[in-house]
Amino acid sequence: MEYKKQYIPPSPQKRPQIKLLYPKYLTIHSNESEQGTAQKEHDFLVKKGNNKMFSFHIVVDDTMAIECVPLTEVAWHAGDGRGDGNMKSLSILICQAKDKKKAWRNAAILAAQILVAKNWSIEQIVQHYYWNRKDCPSILREENKWELWLDEVVKEMANLQKIP
Ligand SMILES: [Zn+2]
């Protein structure tokens, strides 16, 4: 999986440049669009006329991840105003455009990397639903997919933490 930093320009609606002082959650989202690759979701954030207060730190699909907002800044993604969802959490948008399973897998790898880097535990990953009861990430909220996905994250964390 390719990882690139392609920061969106500062703006009150998308990148308010508020310092993310004490991050302690990783919030997971998924998109709905069949056309929404990571690149397209990034481009949508900077599209003229898109003035919604909505953005993500990282968007990921079946081939790549794009960091849209620096991980040291607040992004508006949780729908809870100045609550902990926005003010204390990083966000990943899973883009379901092409190979959903692969996107799901890449997101698990990415989440594991963030947790290990920050020395966080699996309990610090939450669904968007946790903050404002939105049905998101819908891709993982059906059946028992969320538990299966968390298992993948835990496995990936163990791989990363293996002593050589
Ligand atoms: Zn969401």
Side-chain angles (χ1 to χ4, degrees):
M1 166 182 37
E2 185 195 347
Y3 189 97
K4 64 177 180 180
K5 292 178 181 174
Q6 200 176 7
Y7 295 140
I8 61 176
S11 74
Q13 292 88 5
K14 302 288 180 203
R15 188 181 158 194
Q17 289 190 292
I18 299 166
K19 276 217 181 328
L20 189 62
L21 283 178
Y22 305 104
K24 49 184 220 173
Y25 303 97
L26 175 60
T27 303
I28 306 300
H29 304 264
S30 68
N31 70 2
E32 306 289 339
S33 162
E34 295 289 319
Q35 275 82 45
T37 59
Q39 190 63 57
K40 284 199 176 145
E41 292 290 351
H42 166 277
D43 296 349
F44 182 65
L45 291 178
V46 296
K47 195 179 164 190
K48 240 189 163 181
N50 177 4
N51 294 321
K52 270 194 183 168
M53 276 184 85
F54 213 65
S55 55
F56 302 98
H57 289 96
I58 304 169
V59 294
V60 61
D61 65 16
D62 55 344
T63 60
M64 67 156 96
I66 306 174
E67 191 176 314
C68 303
V69 173
L71 304 187
T72 51
E73 295 180 20
V74 164
W76 303 126
H77 60 91
D80 70 340
R82 299 247 166 184
D84 284 0
N86 281 327
M87 303 309 281
K88 290 187 182 173
S89 93
L90 296 169
S91 52
I92 291 178
L93 174 71
I94 305 174
C95 304
Q96 320 188 65
K98 288 180 249 161
D99 186 339
K100 290 179 194 189
K101 284 262 167 69
K102 193 80 199 298
W104 182 13
R105 166 108 194 104
N106 281 345
I109 293 169
L110 202 57
Q113 287 169 344
I114 291 172
L115 260 56
V116 168
K118 297 205 166 283
N119 207 11
W120 287 358
S121 73
I122 194 74
E123 285 79 32
Q124 286 165 277
I125 296 190
V126 297
Q127 302 180 4
H128 180 183
Y129 177 84
Y130 179 78
W131 302 114
N132 73 346
R133 298 296 176 258
K134 188 180 176 202
D135 184 23
C136 179
S138 56
I139 184 179
L140 294 174
R141 285 179 45 78
E142 310 156 356
E143 297 155 19
N144 60 342
K145 283 191 188 142
W146 178 248
E147 284 68 34
L148 291 173
W149 186 76
L150 287 182
D151 283 349
E152 244 185 272
V153 176
V154 169
K155 266 183 223 153
E156 215 43 63
M157 286 172 76
N159 277 339
L160 291 169
Q161 286 164 325
K162 237 179 229 159
I163 296 158

